[in-house]
């Protein structure tokens, strides 16, 4: 209650100062959000979220009043929760700190992870975008293409993970659905660390989100050093999974399942996988500010995002850097985010049971 009262007071002070100086808010005047913005990314440098933020940051700076410097601040740890906790504790309603979230921030929140000290209800979503990802294996496993996936049934597979309540829950559920036996090595602070482990030969199966795939992996796929197996796909208008337009030649998990078993997936295991695929990837990347940020500051941010969407450099560079996915802002972003943050209670309960049985993890209901 004290925290809320203090936040409201700070918000009122900021709002009054903005209104008092609104007539002077031209580009030649000092920016109402200052000359430096901290963009918290709760993962290590080099991964998909970091790549995504580094692509967007200079474009945002171009369209924010006063062209402030947008600093990417990597706060990895806690399976994606540490950086979000830092933002929740430190961000003021002054527009000078934003947070970039991903499924690894969403999932612990949805599952009741004890490390979560943040609440999405305390944040306003400025922008959100779906993304995709690709599962791949080391060429040393003897596969030439995804069609050889049956060979993995008698292989020892090792996966570097941020933790089972992070976005890594999606591959965990997918591998389980496909009948692959995988050993999970926990303690990694981001997907880029998992990629490093893959390159160094410590693990032999991995996935990366689209931005990281495009930045780091295409040469290895082309040379055959790494073999792509499948993409997560994208959610179609009918709620069914379709091939990812960024990786149109790669099958979805559903297609790989049908290749293995001769029929499309169905039943409880598929329902669980599909629900968390939607929660993790349909609104995978979000940019948020504190919900008590004054409306004039929120408008400044939304106007900057709107200008970014019209920027020719964004349209030219985004497909190669981030993939072929829409970027939503304002009310559309908020609506998509809220839908992605809803999980059926029965599915949540079943995931709790799986995590307790397979990893001895007890989560609050």
């Amino acid at each position: 209650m004290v925290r809320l009262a203090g936040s409201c007071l700070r918000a009122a002070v900021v709002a009054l100062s903005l209104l008092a100086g609104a007539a002077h808010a031209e580009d030649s005047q000092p920016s109402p959000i200052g000359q430096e913005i901290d963009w918290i990314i709760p993962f290590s440098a080099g991964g998909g979220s970091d790549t995504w933020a580094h692509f967007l940051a200079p474009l945002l700076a171009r369209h924010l009043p006063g062209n402030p410097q947008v600093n990417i601040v990597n706060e990895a740890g806690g399976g994606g929760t540490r950086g979000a906790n830092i933002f929740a504790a430190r961000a003021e309603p002054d527009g000078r700190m934003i947070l970039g979230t991903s499924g690894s921030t969403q999932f612990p929140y949805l599952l009741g992870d004890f490390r979560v000290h943040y609440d999405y209800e305390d944040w306003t979503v400025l922008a959100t975008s779906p993304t995709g990802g690709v599962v791949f294996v080391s060429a040393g496993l003897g596969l030439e293409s995804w069609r050889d996936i049956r060979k993995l049934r008698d292989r020892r597979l090792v996966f570097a993970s941020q933790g089972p309540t992070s976005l890594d829950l999606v591959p965990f559920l997918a591998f389980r659905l496909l009948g692959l036996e995988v050993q999970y090595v926990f303690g990694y602070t981001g997907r880029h660390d998992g990629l490093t482990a893959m390159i160094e030969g410590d693990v032999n199966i991995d996935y990366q989100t689209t931005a990281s795939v495009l930045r780091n992996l295409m040469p290895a796929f082309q040379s055959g050093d790494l073999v792509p197996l499948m993409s997560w796909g994208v959610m179609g208008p009918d709620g069914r999974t379709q091939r990812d337009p960024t990786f149109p030649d790669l099958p979805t998990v559903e297609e790989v399942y049908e290749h293995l078993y001769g029929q499309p997936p169905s039943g409880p295991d598929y329902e669980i996988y599909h629900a968390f695929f939607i929660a993790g990837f349909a609104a995978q990347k979000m940019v948020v500010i504190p919900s008590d940020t004054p409306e004039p500051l929120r408008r400044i941010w939304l106007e900057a995002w709107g200008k970014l969407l019209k920027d020719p450099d964004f349209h030219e560079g985004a497909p190669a850097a981030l993939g072929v996915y829409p970027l939503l802002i304002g009310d559309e972003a908020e609506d998509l985010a809220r839908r992605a943050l809803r999980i059926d209670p029965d599915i949540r309960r079943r995931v709790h049971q799986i995590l307790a049985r397979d990893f001895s993890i007890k989560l609050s209901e």
Side-chain angles (χ1 to χ4, degrees):
M1 191 70 180
V2 173
R3 183 188 65 81
L4 181 60
S7 297
C8 291
L9 178 60
R10 290 192 301 270
V13 171
V14 173
L16 288 171
S17 65
L18 282 168
L19 291 172
H24 303 287
E26 304 295 334
D27 287 345
S28 59
Q29 299 296 321
S31 169
I33 57 174
Q35 289 305 306
E36 288 198 29
I37 305 295
D38 285 341
W39 187 346
I40 304 295
I41 296 295
F43 308 101
S44 55
S49 293
D50 182 69
T51 300
W52 164 74
H54 272 94
F55 174 76
L56 294 172
L59 296 173
L60 273 176
R62 179 184 299 174
H63 298 298
L64 284 166
N67 308 122
Q69 180 175 325
V70 179
N71 304 311
I72 307 301
V73 182
N74 298 95
E75 296 284 4
T81 63
R82 178 176 175 271
N85 287 336
I86 289 173
F87 178 80
R90 297 180 184 174
E92 300 286 346
D94 57 8
R96 300 185 182 191
M97 181 181 288
I98 59 177
L99 171 69
T101 76
S102 87
S104 289
T105 326
Q106 275 93 269
F107 282 6
Y109 171 76
L110 290 171
L111 291 170
D113 192 311
F114 73 93
R115 296 171 296 180
V116 170
H117 302 293
Y118 52 87
D119 189 338
Y120 275 83
E121 294 299 322
D122 294 335
W123 300 337
T124 294
V125 179
L126 296 172
T128 188
S129 175
T131 191
V134 174
V135 178
F136 54 95
V137 295
S138 168
L141 290 171
L143 281 68
E144 294 185 6
S145 80
W146 71 269
R147 296 185 183 277
D148 300 325
I149 193 170
R150 286 186 178 87
K151 294 181 180 180
L152 295 182
R153 286 176 166 171
D154 60 355
R155 298 291 196 276
R156 179 176 177 269
L157 301 175
V158 184
F159 180 90
S161 175
Q162 300 173 84
T165 64
S166 71
L167 189 61
D168 296 350
L169 179 63
V170 172
F172 166 64
L173 294 172
F175 299 157
R176 184 174 180 272
L177 176 70
L178 295 172
L180 300 179
E181 293 291 334
V182 181
Q183 175 186 343
Y184 297 90
V185 182
F186 298 123
Y188 291 84
T189 60
R191 291 307 325 144
H192 188 70
D193 297 335
L195 177 59
T196 300
M198 184 80 169
I199 293 171
E200 294 177 351
D202 296 330
V203 301
N204 55 15
I205 187 168
D206 190 33
Y207 87 96
Q208 294 289 314
T209 55
T210 296
S212 179
V213 172
L214 296 174
R215 176 182 178 180
N216 299 314
L217 292 173
M218 300 309 291
F221 289 167
Q222 292 163 1
S223 69
D225 292 335
L226 298 173
V227 180
L229 293 182
M230 54 192 168
S231 81
W232 303 127
V234 296
M235 186 175 63
D238 60 357
R240 297 185 179 183
T241 307
Q242 301 177 348
R243 285 200 176 191
D244 189 325
T246 307
F247 309 107
D249 296 330
L250 286 180
T252 63
V253 172
E254 288 82 354
E255 290 177 272
V256 171
Y257 183 97
E258 189 166 1
H259 175 73
L260 287 171
Y261 298 104
Q263 60 185 2
S266 61
D269 286 348
Y270 178 64
E271 291 174 0
I272 293 171
Y273 161 75
H274 189 64
F276 276 88
F277 155 70
I278 292 173
F281 285 92
Q284 215 260 4
K285 306 295 186 191
M286 301 185 197
V287 181
V288 304
I289 55 174
S291 59
D292 56 351
T293 300
E295 182 60 22
L297 286 179
R298 177 178 174 272
R299 285 201 301 268
I300 286 172
W301 272 106
L302 289 177
E303 287 171 6
W305 281 103
K307 291 176 182 177
L308 180 150
L309 284 177
K310 298 176 182 177
D311 193 314
D313 289 342
F314 172 76
H315 289 281
E316 181 178 348
L322 307 181
V324 186
Y325 312 105
L327 177 63
L328 305 180
I329 64 173
D331 291 342
E332 286 186 317
E334 191 81 40
D335 290 344
L336 178 59
R338 298 310 168 197
R339 290 200 304 271
L341 288 168
R342 287 197 294 264
I343 288 288
D344 181 271
D346 182 60
I347 287 178
R348 181 188 290 110
R349 179 184 57 80
R350 284 187 274 165
V351 169
H352 283 183
Q353 292 172 348
I354 291 170
L355 294 176
R357 183 181 64 244
D358 292 2
F359 300 111
S360 299
I361 292 176
K362 177 65 175 177
L363 298 168
S364 59
E365 295 293 337

